[in-house]
């Protein structure tokens, strides 16, 4: 695999730049498969659609996840699990998140969207300043909490679960071999564990929430058949779904509002596509989400480890190589996406507007380890936007200057706004 010149890496290091800048340079200079010496050994950056597809979908067993740091928070939950354990856990959860399993959550998603819309109506009446990012986090957390427990998220639990965001924030800076947590991280993990313990205990008592039994009940029922589903694994699965299922959706919706602030006509066009509730309007709103996920795929890098020696796109990759699949850079490849920096939801509604090639668009990953919650995330995003877009336009007091590239790619600061009356009915 061609490697980026050591002098370029030195210049980047001396300049104190972001990792994404170095990766962007490697892609620009060397193309869709490039080696970069970030650590002592070269890391292989995978951005070309062919190579992406190979690593994630065609040879997934050869390229494994090693989620050392994340395990501190999510333990053996689905996102980090491997081998037979992963297969069993995935099979059980998969049925809950597709087809008829998904239908069970429709009413809960709609209820969470209505609750958020009522809060926004309150902000519009009072004229108070609120943080759009915080609002989106609250909505996404409420939605996944309802799916898991059958209860709307109450204020006390919401407060305790701010610990999840706090741990996610510091995870990338912890040593890769961290086996235990200390200080604030340990305190935050204890708060998360307490919430999880309570929710698991309620599910064990076969308690159904006001919205019916939650997904946790399905896991508890499974523990009757599979001894592997100990209280520890139930906790890990619960925390995994909370983490994977809210941070990503919340940042996507926040980016969407920041993009609409710069491109107000995109909102008007989506609303003009058809009346409220029409399939045309829904399709246009979906395109807003899809284009936001192209520019800001919240899971911007997908790390893998080569378990065996292999050939990728004609190049030899030795066993033991660390790889980074990077949807963020694939989505900004000008050969796949003309004028890639331009926000243009029309790419997803115009025939031929997006590349037909597999591996050119992967906000939810690809292959067997692709996102479990794809449908859930899209439904909840569209449900909320269908309520908010016609009624409110946030006017930002200030907007974040750029992006922070941590576990997810997020706006690098708060997004305080007030609600003004929309310019159109
Ligand atoms: C995995 C993105 C929402 C649950 C993934 C992966 C991506 C992703 C890229 C694959 C990671 C890899 O290959 O290394 C997103 C985005 C979301 C979103 C962009 C929102 C816009 C959700 C939601 C849930 C969820 C709402 C739960 C309800 C999961 C789980 C996995 C996963 C459990 C691990 C699957 C496995 O390893 O078998 N997600 N996700 N995600 N996601 Fe999502």
């Amino acid at each position: 695999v061609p490697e980026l010149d050591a002098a370029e890496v030195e210049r980047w290091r001396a300049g104190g730049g972001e990792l994404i800048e170095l990766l962007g340079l490697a892609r620009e200079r060397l193309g869709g498969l490039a080696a970069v010496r970030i650590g002592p050994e070269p890391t292989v950056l995978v951005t070309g659609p062919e190579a992406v597809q190979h690593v994630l979908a065609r040879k997934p067993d050869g390229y494994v996840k090693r989620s050392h740091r994340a395990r501190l928070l999510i333990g053996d939950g689905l996102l980090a699990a491997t081998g037979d354990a992963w297969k069993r856990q995935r099979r059980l959860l998969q049925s809950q998140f597709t087809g008829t399993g998904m239908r069970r959550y429709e009413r809960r998603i709609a209820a969470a969207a209505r609750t958020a819309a009522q809060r926004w109506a309150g902000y519009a009446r009072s004229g108070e300043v609120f943080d759009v990012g915080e609002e989106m986090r609250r909505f996404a957390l409420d939605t996944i909490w309802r799916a898991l427990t059958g209860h709307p998220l109450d204020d006390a639990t919401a407060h305790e679960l701010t610990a999840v965001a706090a741990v996610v924030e510091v995870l990338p800076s912890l040593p890769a071999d961290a086996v235990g947590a200390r200080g604030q991280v340990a305190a935050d993990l204890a708060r998360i564990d307490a919430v999880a313990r309570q929710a698991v205990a309620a599910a064990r008592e076969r308690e159904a929430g006001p919205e019916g039994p939650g997904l946790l009940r399905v896991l508890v029922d499974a523990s009757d058949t599979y001894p592997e589903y100990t209280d520890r694994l139930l906790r890990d699965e619960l925390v995994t779904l909370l983490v994977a299922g809210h941070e990503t959706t919340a940042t996507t919706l926040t980016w969407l509002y920041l993009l609409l602030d710069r491109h107000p006509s995109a909102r008007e066009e989506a609303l003009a596509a058809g009346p409220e509730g029409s399939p045309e309007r829904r399709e246009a709103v979906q395109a807003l989400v899809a284009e936001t996920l192209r520019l800001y795929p919240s899971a911007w890098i997908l790390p893998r480890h080569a378990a065996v020696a292999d050939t990728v796109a004609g190049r030899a990759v030795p066993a033991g190589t660390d790889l980074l699949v990077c949807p963020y850079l694939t989505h900004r490849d000008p050969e796949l996406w003309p004028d890639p920096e331009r926000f243009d939801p029309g790419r997803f509604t115009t025939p031929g507007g997006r590349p037909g090639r597999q591996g050119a668009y992967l906000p939810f990953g690809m292959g067997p380890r692709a996102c479990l919650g794809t449908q859930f995330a899209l439904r909840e995003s569209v449900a909320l936007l269908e309520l908010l877009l016609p009624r409110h336009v946030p006017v930002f007091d200030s907007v974040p200057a750029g992006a922070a590239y941590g576990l997810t790619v997020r706006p690098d600061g708060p997004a305080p706004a007030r609600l003004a009356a929309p310019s159109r009915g």
Side-chain angles (χ1 to χ4, degrees):
V1 179
E3 186 175 327
L4 190 67
D5 199 54
E8 299 271 24
V9 182
E10 257 334 292
R11 246 196 308 280
W12 167 77
R13 220 181 284 283
E18 293 269 8
L19 175 61
I20 188 66
E21 290 167 15
L22 183 68
L23 300 181
L25 189 69
R27 200 209 66 78
E28 200 183 300
R29 296 277 158 83
L30 305 170
L33 197 68
V36 196
R37 218 169 273 265
I38 305 164
E41 295 299 322
T43 300
V44 170
L45 173 68
V46 185
T47 58
E50 182 59 29
V52 165
Q53 218 187 332
H54 179 90
V55 169
L56 294 184
R58 253 187 256 123
K59 277 256 190 118
D61 291 344
Y63 298 93
V64 294
K65 289 203 192 182
R66 293 203 305 185
S67 326
H68 298 305
R69 292 186 185 87
R71 273 180 192 276
L72 208 54
L73 177 60
I74 62 173
D76 295 325
L78 184 63
L79 201 62
T82 53
D84 287 344
W86 169 77
K87 274 198 194 113
R88 192 168 44 241
Q89 287 167 241
R90 176 90 193 195
R91 207 177 306 126
L92 180 64
L93 286 175
Q94 180 86 28
S95 61
Q96 301 296 312
F97 282 96
T98 47
T100 46
M102 241 327 278
R103 244 169 264 148
R104 205 167 315 146
Y105 303 127
E106 295 285 359
R107 291 204 358 238
R108 299 179 193 192
I109 288 175
R114 276 197 306 275
T115 304
Q118 278 161 9
R119 275 199 308 271
W120 282 53
Y123 297 138
R125 276 194 300 275
S126 69
E128 74 188 275
V129 176
F130 68 104
D131 189 284
V132 172
E134 280 309 312
E135 261 306 309
M136 293 310 180
R137 180 183 291 284
R138 177 72 197 245
F139 162 69
L141 202 49
D142 183 26
T143 316
I144 190 72
W145 188 255
R146 286 171 193 255
L148 285 162
T149 67
H151 287 275
L153 183 68
D154 58 278
D155 288 341
T157 310
H159 180 73
E160 285 308 289
L161 289 177
T162 53
V164 174
V167 177
V168 167
E169 178 91 36
V170 298
L171 270 186
S173 56
L174 296 177
D177 56 356
V179 282
R182 282 188 294 272
Q184 188 56 43
V185 180
D188 285 334
L189 285 171
R191 283 167 66 196
I192 298 166
D193 283 353
V195 172
R197 227 182 352 263
Q198 221 173 23
V200 169
R204 278 230 183 271
E205 282 169 19
R206 304 290 191 261
E207 187 225 77
E211 299 179 347
L215 178 58
L216 261 185
R217 260 288 283 285
V218 175
L219 293 170
V220 163
D221 289 345
S223 69
D224 293 342
T225 320
Y226 303 106
E228 296 85 356
Y229 279 92
T230 56
D231 272 3
R232 179 74 209 176
L233 185 56
L234 293 177
R235 174 260 173 230
D236 289 350
E237 230 38 319
L238 168 68
V239 176
T240 297
L241 290 167
L242 282 177
V243 173
H246 96 277
E247 166 85 20
T248 44
T249 309
T251 47
T252 303
L253 288 165
T254 309
W255 279 122
L256 191 148
Y257 267 100
L258 291 169
L259 287 164
L260 286 186
D261 185 54
R262 271 188 278 146
H263 306 274
S265 61
R267 170 184 163 272
E268 276 153 31
E269 279 158 26
L271 295 178
E276 192 155 359
S278 67
E280 292 79 14
R281 163 90 60 101
R282 177 158 297 184
E283 195 187 312
V285 172
Q286 277 165 353
L288 288 179
V289 176
E291 177 67 344
T292 302
L293 281 167
R294 182 184 68 81
L295 282 172
Y296 298 105
S298 27
W300 66 287
I301 40 173
L302 314 177
R304 291 293 190 273
H305 183 79
V308 290
D310 190 22
T311 306
V312 184
R315 309 279 189 176
V317 171
T321 305
D322 285 323
L323 300 97
L324 291 175
V325 177
C326 186
Y328 184 93
L329 289 176
T330 304
H331 294 176
R332 285 164 195 262
D333 180 344
E335 281 167 28
L336 298 168
W337 301 93
D339 200 359
E341 295 294 336
R342 194 163 59 95
F343 177 68
D344 177 11
R347 297 179 202 267
F348 291 90
T349 48
T350 324
R354 56 175 287 192
R357 299 172 67 173
Q358 294 257 3
Y361 182 66
L362 65 152
F364 295 102
M366 277 187 93
R369 302 231 40 165
C371 181
L372 176 79
T374 307
Q375 284 191 37
F376 191 94
L378 294 175
R379 298 270 177 94
E380 64 178 318
S381 303
V382 171
L384 181 69
L385 293 167
E386 283 188 317
L387 288 181
L388 296 186
L389 286 177
R391 292 173 182 84
H392 307 288
V393 176
V395 177
F396 288 95
D397 274 6
S398 65
V399 289
Y405 300 84
L407 279 192
T408 58
V409 54
R410 292 188 294 175
D412 68 354
R418 282 170 233 270
L419 294 179
S423 57
R424 163 184 186 289

